[in-house]
Structures are given as C-alpha cells and as structure tokens.
Amino acid sequence: MSIAEVHEFAKAIIMEAGERIRSSFSEKWVIETKADANDLVTNIDRETELFFIEKIKTFDSTHKILGEEGMGEKIDSIDGVVWIIDPIDGTMNFIRQHRNFAITIGVYINGIGKLGYIYDVMRDQLYYAKQGQGAYMNEVPLKPLQAISLNKAIIGLNATWVTPNKRIEHEPMIDLVHKVRGTRSYGSAALEIVSVACGRMDAYISLRLSPWDIAGGVVIANEVGAIASNLKNEPINLLKQDTFIVANPTIHSEIIDDYIQLKNENK
Ligand code: IPD
Ligand code: CA
Ligand code: CA
C-alpha cells in the first residue's frame, strides 16, 4: 500500500470523525476524570478513538495503533506502521468552550514521521503534511518559516510552568517570559504546534507532553523548517512522556541553551 493511499484514507476518516464530533453537541455527554480532577475525558473522546481503531484495522490489520484513551495496542516498539492518535486534543476546551480542540494523528513507519494531521474541528481546517512533500491547510501550502529574533518572538507557554510546580524549576521560564515579545496559551498542544508551523507563534514549550499530543504536529512542523525536540535538545521519543519544544529554527537552540544555563546556575 502506498503512502498516498494511506493519506487519502487518513484524510477521509478524520473528516468523518470531525463530523461525528460536531453532531455530538446535540447529545448529552458523559464526562469523567482520569489522573486528577482536572484531567477530563468524555464518551466522545473514547468513541472517536474507537472509531479510528475500527476503521484502521479494517484498512490494514498489520498497522499498530497508539491512542491516548488506551483502546489501541500496548506498544513497546515503534517498528512497523504505527498510528499515534489523540482523538480530541484540548478536551477541556471541547467541554467548556465548544471550540479550540483538534483531532491529531501521526503515521510513523519504523519511527520516521511520514504523515501528520491536525484537524481543527470547529473551524473545519485540516492541517496535514507528508514527509518531504510540504505542509498544507485545506490544500493551501504553508509557507517556510521566516527568521525571527527572541525579543520579537511570541511563545506558547502554559502559566503552570512559570509558577512553582512539582516537575521543573520555574525560574528559567520566568527569564524566557521576560525576554520575548509575548506569550500565549491555547489549551491544545496540537493547535499550539500548528500555530508555530503557520508562523502565528514562534515557539511552543511544554514540560510534559505525551506522544499523541505531538506525533502529528511534529511531522507538519518539520515540513516548514521548525525544529522539535525535548528541552535537552534530544530527538523526540514517541514511547514516553517528556519535555517538548517546537520552535522557529532561528530561536530553537537559543531558548534551550538559556534554559539549561539558568537551570544550572540555580542549582
Ligand atoms: C492536553 C492539551 C493541553 C496540554 C496538556 C495535554 P488533552 O491534551 O494538549 O493543552 O497542556 O498537557 O494533555 O488531555 O486535552 O488531550
Ligand atoms: Ca492531548
Ligand atoms: Ca486527548
């Protein structure tokens, strides 16, 4: 099966899933919590993931599926064709705002990102990329990123990481906030990554993301020249939670170097 065929199939099921999610606004959702009181999930998250799994397994039963809601397989290797799926990224926005959430999917072959999708369901905007063939929004090509300096940059950063928290020292983040022109936080990692790919923001940083939050976005970001890594400047690991940065190439290393230097000075 060719990548072009997988792409046509992926686009079709994402659009169908988006339509199902929009229709669900007339239903009463079941809302539950997961790891903590603010970690929300609905029956629509689960039903959407199940929809993808059933479609993909019918399409090709050898393809593996890693989904946030755990309805795919337990994956301990990235070998073969692996679909990494977040059925609704930004569930809190989905529940409270009825917008600003996305379906996001990455298709990896032996660990290489081949196809990436972020579907902004309420705006009906499908961002996608095929490795080496550019990135698009509703079939309109995204432009390569232009150079920017840190003092003119807009950075996506959740306020959690600038206040004392149990995961990281927050002081280096305060310094970054002072250096840049502005900060934003949209509540959907996928939509924040795609904002960087479109040049609406110049970097997006999180101290804890999972593979399904970033798998699709990284493929899209790479195609416009953005660089994605963890905050140690190591390549993305699709099998574990980690720190994450995606940035315009002119400021990616500068942000990481400043962060590491300040972290060491604070020790
Ligand atoms: C969350 C969103 C949020 C990010 C969290 C993610 P979910 O995904 O992307 O913006 O800050 O870390 O877990 O739970 O809505 O799919
Ligand atoms: Ca997510
Ligand atoms: Ca999710």
Side-chain angles (χ1 to χ4, degrees):
M1 196 167 305
S2 71
I3 283 288
E5 284 169 305
V6 179
H7 171 60
E8 288 309 318
F9 167 72
K11 264 202 313 194
I13 57 173
I14 289 167
M15 300 312 278
E16 192 179 339
E19 187 51 46
R20 289 163 65 105
I21 292 172
R22 285 188 294 267
S23 307
S24 80
F25 282 103
S26 57
E27 299 163 17
K28 193 163 168 20
W29 300 327
V30 180
I31 302 170
E32 291 166 42
T33 56
K34 293 195 284 186
D36 60 59
N38 298 322
D39 186 7
L40 305 175
V41 65
T42 73
N43 59 310
I44 309 302
D45 298 62
R46 295 195 170 119
E47 285 166 22
T48 304
E49 182 163 311
L50 212 49
F51 166 83
F52 282 125
I53 291 170
E54 284 169 3
K55 291 281 183 190
I56 295 162
K57 286 293 178 188
T58 309
F59 180 72
D60 190 327
S61 60
T62 66
H63 289 192
K64 298 193 281 183
I65 303 161
L66 173 63
E68 171 169 21
E69 306 312 334
M71 286 153 155
E73 288 126 292
K74 171 125 189 41
I75 292 202
D76 42 31
S77 124
I78 198 78
D79 295 345
V81 181
V82 184
W83 294 65
I84 305 178
I85 301 179
D86 192 340
I88 298 183
D89 181 60
T91 296
M92 203 187 289
N93 290 349
F94 171 62
I95 294 168
R96 288 289 306 276
Q97 304 182 338
H98 295 185
R99 70 201 73 199
N100 302 327
F101 62 90
I103 295 169
T104 183
I105 296 182
V107 181
Y108 285 68
I109 303 184
N110 297 326
I112 311 285
K114 295 289 180 185
L115 299 167
Y117 302 90
I118 293 174
Y119 182 45
D120 183 333
V121 175
M122 302 314 285
R123 291 188 177 92
D124 190 23
Q125 291 175 333
L126 179 66
Y127 300 89
Y128 72 86
K130 295 183 201 165
Q131 186 205 24
Q133 295 179 47
Y136 296 82
M137 193 277 280
N138 289 351
E139 311 300 340
V140 178
L142 302 188
K143 297 190 181 82
L145 297 180
Q146 301 294 309
I148 186 129
S149 56
L150 201 51
N151 62 347
K152 294 203 174 72
I154 300 180
I155 305 282
L157 186 65
N158 187 318
T160 311
W161 309 128
V162 192
T163 53
N165 68 81
K166 57 180 189 248
R167 288 185 193 278
I168 52 130
E169 296 147 57
H170 62 288
E171 283 86 0
M173 288 296 158
I174 297 176
D175 190 71
L176 176 65
V177 170
H178 287 151
K179 273 188 179 156
V180 298
R181 179 161 276 176
T183 58
R184 300 289 182 272
S185 181
Y186 297 133
S188 157
L191 292 178
E192 297 183 274
I193 296 168
V194 98
S195 294
V196 175
C198 293
R200 297 191 285 260
M201 292 203 298
D202 306 299
Y204 165 64
I205 296 167
S206 173
L207 280 302
R208 188 190 54 161
L209 285 179
S210 297
W212 41 80
D213 297 313
I214 60 175
V218 163
V219 181
I220 298 171
N222 281 340
E223 286 302 311
V224 292
I227 303 177
S229 68
N230 69 11
L231 277 174
K232 293 180 183 157
N233 213 351
E234 296 164 343
I236 304 296
N237 182 332
L238 292 166
L239 294 173
K240 66 175 183 92
Q241 275 192 343
D242 202 353
T243 57
F244 178 76
I245 174 169
V246 59
N248 184 298
T250 51
I251 58 171
H252 175 266
S253 296
E254 190 179 352
I255 293 174
I256 293 180
D257 292 349
D258 283 0
Y259 175 75
I260 292 173
Q261 192 191 330
L262 284 165
K263 215 172 129 188
N264 290 338
E265 282 170 15
N266 283 334
K267 271 191 183 152

